[in-house]
Amino acid sequence: MISAGHSVRVITLSDSLLHADDAYTFPVRRIERAGRPLILRLLQTCWTIWRAAVHADVILANGLNCEVMIAGTIARVPVVAKVVGDRAWERARGRGWFEGSIEEYQIAPKPLRLRLLDLIRTIPLRRSTALIVPSRYLQRLVSGWWIDERSIQVVYNAVDVTAPPKDAGRTQRRATIVTVARLVAWKHIDSLILMLREIEDARLVIVGDGPLRSQLEALVRVEGLAERITFMGSVPRADVLSAVAGADVFVLNSSYEGLPHVVLEAMACGTPVVATNVGGTGEVVIDGETGLLIPPHDDIALRQAVNRILSEPGLAARLVTGAKHRLAQHHSFDAMISAFARVLRDGSRRRKDAVVADPVHR
């Protein structure tokens, strides 16, 4: 967008203020996430967004929705929000307030605390000029939050990856299965660990961190699989791509996805994909063409799909070729940027700058 003549400023929460932000071609303003009372951080965030917004055409909210709503309303600047999931459901699951799936959450009778989570999620979105979602699945889901579906624009995620060589991450001769995920319940990493008991000549690499890590590590020890399973934790993106490129198969065993960007990265790395048919995943993984799509919560289908790719090199090669073709046709970086620019332009006041509020910018 900068190359198209737009001016961009980024405001982000950060665990550390020590970053080499001079490398960016746009200003980055970081607000320290920890170390102060929550109310003071909220006030600082609203103030910082407002100061930038008064010089902006439009705010793109990639998070911080409540703070953006407050600052944008005071500054009288339109807001375009990107929605990649249901934060109300995620918080309810994380706090143990709800045990069901994301689809069950949408229609479940809710006590007051869940209704409050819904209000915190929805009110800022309803006040936005437009919403961007990465899949048609999410478009349908979000429209159920009393939001006009016509204001929800589908812009597929894109991938901009210079893939490492296919053997970049390979350190052993045995087949390598890799997954990249936050270690939370709906990623079902435990099923991947147990699957390894049935696939003897293989190892599993788990990239990512999260609240279930110690529980999953304990399961690995109980099953006697410590020598065949590696927890990489949270690592730089280059190391993630190297691990994916060095694997024989990438697996996403989730029961909840908006549109998984990591699947696009695996495809770009030339690694065949096995993924569950949830959320928007089926809009990317076309069964038998760009990957193998399996039902969620089906451990037998999971094992069979992984075994097929490991034992049928011709199938793996066809899936990789099909995936590369789909990326070129539907997930190009230029097409994504053009679509974002169109939505932002339509919602802007056509002044000089744009502000991006992003709580996870690195």
Side-chain angles (χ1 to χ4, degrees):
M1 292 184 67
I2 293 173
S3 62
H6 302 293
S7 177
V8 175
R9 306 176 191 181
V10 172
I11 296 167
T12 178
L13 298 184
S14 183
D15 294 326
S16 170
L17 301 182
L18 301 176
H19 289 263
D21 292 331
D22 291 343
Y24 296 115
T25 57
F26 47 82
V28 177
R29 173 72 167 86
R30 294 183 183 273
I31 300 170
E32 194 166 10
R33 192 188 306 271
R36 286 168 303 157
L38 176 62
I39 186 63
L40 293 181
R41 193 192 76 197
L42 291 174
L43 289 172
Q44 182 186 4
T45 304
C46 290
W47 169 256
T48 304
I49 295 172
W50 173 81
R51 288 189 64 188
V54 295
H55 302 291
D57 292 309
V58 62
I59 306 174
L60 172 60
N62 193 27
L64 300 175
N65 289 332
C66 289
E67 295 92 324
V68 168
M69 178 191 70
I70 294 168
T73 299
I74 295 172
R76 302 179 66 185
V77 173
V79 174
V80 173
K82 183 174 182 182
V83 183
V84 297
D86 186 349
R87 288 291 292 149
W89 174 78
E90 290 180 18
R91 287 169 174 163
R93 282 292 303 264
R95 295 171 184 177
W97 295 352
F98 189 82
E99 296 299 325
S101 69
I102 185 172
E103 288 82 9
E104 292 168 337
Y105 182 82
Q106 307 307 310
I107 59 175
K110 294 171 184 168
L112 179 60
R113 60 188 179 184
L114 295 187
R115 292 202 299 269
L116 288 174
L117 287 181
D118 285 359
L119 287 173
I120 293 169
R121 170 203 67 197
T122 302
I123 288 175
L125 300 179
R126 293 192 67 186
R127 295 184 63 87
S128 300
T129 303
L131 305 180
I132 294 174
V133 295
S135 67
R136 300 201 179 279
Y137 165 81
L138 273 175
Q139 185 183 43
R140 294 189 296 271
L141 190 80
V142 173
S143 66
W145 302 342
W146 299 96
I147 294 174
D148 187 350
E149 188 170 354
R150 292 172 299 181
S151 70
I152 308 170
Q153 306 295 316
V154 177
V155 179
Y156 281 121
N157 290 340
V159 62
D160 186 21
V161 170
T162 301
K166 273 304 294 173
D167 61 350
R170 186 176 299 280
T171 59
Q172 301 187 26
R173 289 186 177 182
R174 61 169 37 134
T176 299
I177 304 161
V178 66
T179 189
V180 180
R182 187 161 181 259
L183 305 187
V184 291
W186 56 86
K187 298 296 184 179
H188 302 285
I189 305 298
D190 54 343
S191 292
L192 293 180
I193 292 170
L194 296 176
M195 176 190 69
L196 215 64
R197 298 179 306 183
E198 309 296 327
I199 305 178
E200 295 183 358
D201 193 25
R203 60 189 288 261
L204 172 64
V205 177
I206 301 168
V207 184
D209 214 333
L212 294 186
R213 178 165 179 171
S214 59
Q215 181 179 324
L216 294 170
E217 288 176 330
L219 176 62
V220 168
R221 291 192 295 271
V222 167
E223 296 295 331
L225 296 169
E227 292 185 358
R228 296 169 55 203
I229 296 178
T230 301
F231 287 86
M232 289 183 61
S234 181
V235 296
R237 184 166 181 261
D239 293 339
V240 175
L241 296 178
S242 179
V244 172
D248 297 281
V249 57
F250 171 87
V251 180
L252 186 66
N253 192 40
S254 178
S255 57
Y256 159 58
E257 294 292 339
L259 189 139
H261 191 78
V262 67
V263 166
L264 301 180
E265 293 184 324
M267 290 177 169
C269 286
T271 302
V273 170
V274 172
T276 43
N277 188 11
V278 296
T281 304
E283 298 174 44
V284 178
V285 181
I286 312 302
D287 187 43
E289 297 181 17
T290 66
L292 296 183
L293 204 60
I294 61 173
H297 311 292
D298 191 334
D299 293 344
I300 294 176
L302 171 66
R303 185 181 71 249
Q304 290 175 341
V306 171
N307 268 325
R308 282 190 67 193
I309 288 179
L310 295 181
S311 62
E312 300 179 31
L315 170 64
R318 288 196 303 273
L319 296 179
V320 168
T321 299
K324 291 288 184 75
H325 179 73
R326 183 162 187 86
L327 290 182
Q329 292 294 314
H330 299 281
H331 299 277
S332 75
F333 198 73
D334 288 344
M336 184 191 72
I337 293 299
S338 296
F340 261 89
R342 173 181 52 78
V343 177
L344 293 170
R345 184 172 57 250
D346 290 346
S348 75
R349 294 191 307 175
R350 291 172 175 80
R351 287 161 66 183
K352 290 183 179 179
D353 298 324
V355 177
V356 178
D358 180 356
V360 294
H361 182 80
R362 293 292 179 264

